[in-house]
Amino acid sequence: MALHMQGRCVPNECFKYESGTPKKHKQENGVTREFCDTCGAFICEYGEEAADKFRYIVWGSLDKPEKIPPKGEFFCKSKAEWMPEIPGLFHKKEIKE
């Protein structure tokens, strides 16, 4: 489990691969993660219920992440004590809160 991941929820109709086919890994909890087939970089993830609706795109996979500022933080109950809260965003302790 990652200590920190920045990503953006994007509707499927707004997301496409320019080239290549990602490797997919489905976890026991139903979440599928997609990785670059060439370098192994983490690209996106989605749950079973969201698979036909949207993807959480990992910030590091975007060419211009500064164009899409964050709107909130999830899983704040698991945040390390030394990590500050980002002001001006919503903060959820759990995903189903």
Side-chain angles (χ1 to χ4, degrees), residues 1 13 18 49 53 58 60 66 78 81-82 84 87 95 97:
M1 182 174 168
E13 60 269 14
E18 295 285 321
E49 293 180 22
K53 298 177 187 98
V58 178
E66 67 279 357
S78 301
E81 289 184 26
W82 53 262
I95 197 75
E97 184 178 290

Side-chain angles (χ1 to χ4, degrees), residues 4 6 70 72-73 79 83-91:
H4 184 78
Q6 292 181 319
E73 294 184 285
K79 187 190 296 193
M83 187 175 286
E85 186 173 275
I86 301 173
L89 305 180
F90 70 82
H91 303 90

Side-chain angles (χ1 to χ4, degrees), residues 14-84:
C14 298
F15 177 74
K16 70 174 183 171
Y17 287 101
E18 295 285 321
S19 64
T21 302
K23 293 250 186 209
K24 296 181 181 183
H25 172 72
K26 187 171 184 178
Q27 301 174 166
E28 290 181 18
N29 64 3
V31 172
T32 298
R33 291 185 170 192
E34 296 185 1
F35 301 86
C36 175
D37 189 31
T38 303
C39 71
F42 179 24
I43 300 168
C44 70
E45 71 179 15
Y46 46 91
E48 292 173 336
E49 293 180 22
D52 62 341
K53 298 177 187 98
F54 62 84
R55 301 284 187 266
Y56 283 105
I57 310 301
V58 178
W59 237 263
S61 66
L62 300 174
D63 290 333
K64 297 180 182 179
E66 67 279 357
K67 299 259 185 196
I68 308 172
K71 293 185 177 181
E73 294 184 285
F74 292 95
F75 304 109
C76 294
K77 76 175 187 175
S78 301
K79 187 190 296 193
E81 289 184 26
W82 53 262
M83 187 175 286

